[in-house]
């Protein structure tokens, strides 16, 4: 009989370097709060309208429409989040996000006021 042992492989793969550090930065210069705010706004805009005449409304159809809308929104959220994920970005976008992450963490190096400008070249 086979011995029931667990596999040596992890349940989830380890995150890629682009997504491991910080999920606040996304592709296309988006941040996570902006992304969530805009998708919530789009969900509100696309909600099915409630009938003004509440006496003739079929509550079952209204509930089905609300459920279908919510499923559609979840599908759209997943699709758009995959599109803007840095894990699917090219190397140039990952580098840009990493530079922005470094600037957010450590701040800019303000030496323009203290260092002399570079001397002009002699080959004019």
């Amino acid at each position: 009989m086979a011995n029931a042992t667990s596999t040596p492989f992890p349940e989830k793969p380890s995150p890629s370097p682009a997504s491991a550090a910080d999920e606040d930065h996304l592709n296309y210069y988006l941040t996570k709060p902006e992304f969530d705010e805009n998708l919530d706004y789009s969900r509100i805009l696309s909600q099915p309208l409630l009938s003004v005449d509440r006496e003739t409304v079929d509550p079952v159809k209204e509930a089905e429409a609300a459920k279908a809308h919510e499923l559609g929104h979840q599908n759209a959220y997943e699709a758009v989040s995959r599109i803007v994920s840095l894990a699917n970005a090219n190397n140039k976008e990952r580098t840009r996000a990493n530079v922005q992450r470094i600037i957010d963490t450590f701040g800019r190096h303000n030496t323009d006021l203290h260092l002399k400008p570079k001397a002009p070249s002699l080959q004019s």
Side-chain angles (χ1 to χ4, degrees), residues 5 34 36-37 41 44 52 69 72-73 88-89 92 100 109-110 116-117 124:
T5 60
E34 290 172 336
D36 290 335
E37 179 183 336
Y41 184 66
I44 291 168
V52 177
H69 173 261
H73 175 70
N88 297 327
K92 182 178 177 182
Q100 187 61 45
H109 192 248
N110 298 319
K116 295 178 185 176
S124 299

Side-chain angles (χ1 to χ4, degrees), residues 33-47 69 73 77:
E34 290 172 336
F35 176 72
D36 290 335
E37 179 183 336
N38 286 313
L39 276 179
D40 286 341
Y41 184 66
S42 70
R43 180 182 50 81
I44 291 168
L45 287 178
S46 64
Q47 282 180 344
H69 173 261
H73 175 70
Y77 185 89

Side-chain angles (χ1 to χ4, degrees), residues 51-112:
S51 177
V52 177
D53 187 11
R54 300 304 298 165
E55 293 179 10
T56 61
V57 172
D58 184 6
V60 174
K61 284 186 180 179
E62 207 170 58
E64 287 174 356
K67 185 176 179 181
H69 173 261
E70 190 58 37
L71 287 174
H73 175 70
Q74 288 174 356
N75 223 6
Y77 185 89
E78 183 64 30
V80 174
S81 65
R82 287 181 183 178
I83 290 169
V84 300
S85 172
L86 279 176
N88 297 327
N90 60 19
N91 201 20
K92 182 178 177 182
E93 289 299 318
R94 287 184 190 155
T95 302
R96 179 204 50 83
N98 286 335
V99 167
Q100 187 61 45
R101 196 176 287 133
I102 290 168
I103 290 170
D104 291 346
T105 303
F106 299 110
R108 289 205 172 268
H109 192 248
N110 298 319
T111 58
D112 294 340

